Amino acid sequence: MFVDSVRIHVKAGDGGDGIVAFLHEKYMDKGGPSGGHGGRGGSVIFVGEEGLTTLLDFRFNRKIKAEPGQKGMDKNCAGKKGANTYIKVPVGTTIINAETNQVIGDITEHNQEVIVAHGGRGGKGNAAFASPRNTTPQFAEKGIKGEEFDVQLELKVLADVGLVGFPSVGKSTLISVVSKAKPKIAAYHFTTLVPNLGVVGVGDGRSFIMADLPGLIEGASSGAGLGIQFLKHIERTKVIVHIIDMSATDGRNPVEDYKIIRKELGDFKEDLLKRAEILVANKMDVPGAIDNLKRFKEETGIDNIIPISAYTKDNLNELLYKIADTLDEVRSKVDYQVITDTVVEYNFVPEKAKFEITMDDSGFFHVDGPAIEKIFERTDFNNEVSVRQFARALRDLGVDDELRKLGAEQGETIIILGYEFEFVA
């Protein structure tokens, strides 16, 4: 089964908690704080693998986790880091954050690594908070949670050449005779249901990867037939080989077929119309094909079209050399940036507020914000000293002053990130 799109859940390892510890050894009555830091959590890392051709494995493993970091130890020993989780994916996989729709990474090479979810930082042990004013800190930080979210994996086949055209124009037959690919071939439409890849060798020693893509029909860019499901695979090809059934079987019109396919490519992505394209007139062994080719050239004004017969293997060498030459031209092109005198306008973007205070319908103040979340995650609320440190951090951030300005009074309930606290004015 070929699977080219799947949604999964990733969870990086949480950072280990720092600990509160004091050094107690013989002849060292006041050894001081010795709580070590927690270890960093492991990350979820995707690795490109040439041998994989489908995302099928993710259908049965939709949750991927990395190992958490260990908590700190005494004698200033840090906890062990959590092991990273490495997941192999096919080359050609795009990784998208399903919640923000942002592309996290694009796997285009074998063994390429992309960190999808970062492990959380370990919390600091109490030894890190020792100072001349506080020589025996009684608190430590909790570890930061690892990143956790859904990702969408999209596989787009990586090929130098993509064969496009209506169903049953001979794409599968062509790739089967010029490579070792073994696509399913039959005398009915939509034989090809999944992309087929084949390595094609040219007589002079050059080679390239060819993809037989499922046939397109009118409305494909809007989802008709196999539609967008496979149109996206054409995006990565360097050269498009557009195959036209010049036998005009089943009442087909080669001119209209050509125009429809071009329109669908442009509607899906306009840049595809600028992609290097080689036109191929197939099934030239069928009676009437020569006359149809002549008519095609007259009506379209296109003379640069290669006539072949994938069935009888006529003129295939000319096609393969043309593809190889076109690929060489595409690969040799260098995009030069034209520098012009332009005025760049820089707009001031204010920094996001560290916290926000709102009031609900019941009259309760709610305190939220990125800085609050960061302090909250590191606080051990089972440790009284750590809780006092949390309150001090909020005060230093300006939360207390802002609450007073808004009218908060002594003993009033303040909701911080969904948890209730008593305000000390």
Side-chain angles (χ1 to χ4, degrees), residues 255-273:
V255 175
E256 290 302 313
D257 286 358
Y258 168 72
K259 292 179 179 179
I260 289 172
I261 294 298
R262 291 285 293 176
K263 181 178 184 301
E264 294 303 325
L265 292 177
D267 288 346
F268 176 70
K269 202 163 193 177
E270 193 172 347
D271 287 348
L272 291 178
L273 297 179

Side-chain angles (χ1 to χ4, degrees), residues 67-283:
E67 188 177 69
Q70 292 182 350
K71 69 178 183 179
M73 296 174 283
D74 58 8
K75 297 184 180 180
N76 291 310
C77 292
K80 183 181 177 182
K81 294 180 180 179
N84 295 329
T85 295
Y86 293 88
I87 302 296
K88 292 183 178 181
V89 296
V91 173
T93 300
T94 299
I95 308 155
I96 304 167
N97 186 320
E99 298 167 11
T100 65
N101 209 32
Q102 291 183 326
V103 174
I104 298 172
D106 204 6
I107 304 289
T108 59
E109 298 178 1
H110 181 59
N111 285 332
Q112 176 188 348
E113 295 185 1
V114 171
I115 300 177
V116 177
H118 293 78
R121 183 179 69 79
K124 295 179 181 179
N126 71 327
F129 298 100
S131 68
R133 294 182 60 186
N134 185 4
T135 57
T136 57
Q138 302 286 330
F139 64 92
E141 284 183 341
K142 292 184 68 177
I144 302 296
K145 291 186 178 298
E147 294 181 326
E148 181 177 11
F149 49 87
D150 285 353
V151 295
Q152 186 74 27
L153 303 183
E154 299 284 348
L155 174 60
K156 300 175 185 177
V157 296
L158 282 178
D160 300 308
V161 180
L163 304 181
V164 301
F166 270 85
S168 299
V169 296
K171 300 186 299 297
S172 297
T173 302
L174 175 60
I175 197 172
S176 71
V177 297
V178 299
S179 74
K180 293 184 179 181
K182 301 298 179 185
K184 181 181 178 182
I185 300 172
Y188 53 84
H189 294 324
F190 294 110
T191 302
T192 302
L193 298 178
V194 301
N196 294 293
L197 293 180
V199 178
V200 181
V202 186
D204 59 3
R206 290 180 292 177
S207 64
F208 51 83
I209 298 175
M210 178 181 285
D212 161 29
L213 302 172
L216 302 176
I217 63 173
E218 188 170 8
S221 59
S222 301
L226 297 175
I228 295 173
Q229 183 180 359
F230 291 111
L231 260 170
K232 62 187 178 185
H233 293 297
I234 302 171
E235 290 183 73
R236 294 184 185 268
T237 59
K238 299 180 180 69
V239 175
I240 293 174
V241 175
H242 189 160
I243 300 180
I244 302 169
D245 179 359
M246 208 52 69
S247 69
T249 54
D250 298 330
R252 303 214 63 86
N253 183 325
V255 175
E256 290 302 313
D257 286 358
Y258 168 72
K259 292 179 179 179
I260 289 172
I261 294 298
R262 291 285 293 176
K263 181 178 184 301
E264 294 303 325
L265 292 177
D267 288 346
F268 176 70
K269 202 163 193 177
E270 193 172 347
D271 287 348
L272 291 178
L273 297 179
K274 302 175 184 177
R275 196 74 49 89
E277 182 185 56
I278 298 173
L279 282 182
V280 178
N282 192 25
K283 303 187 182 181

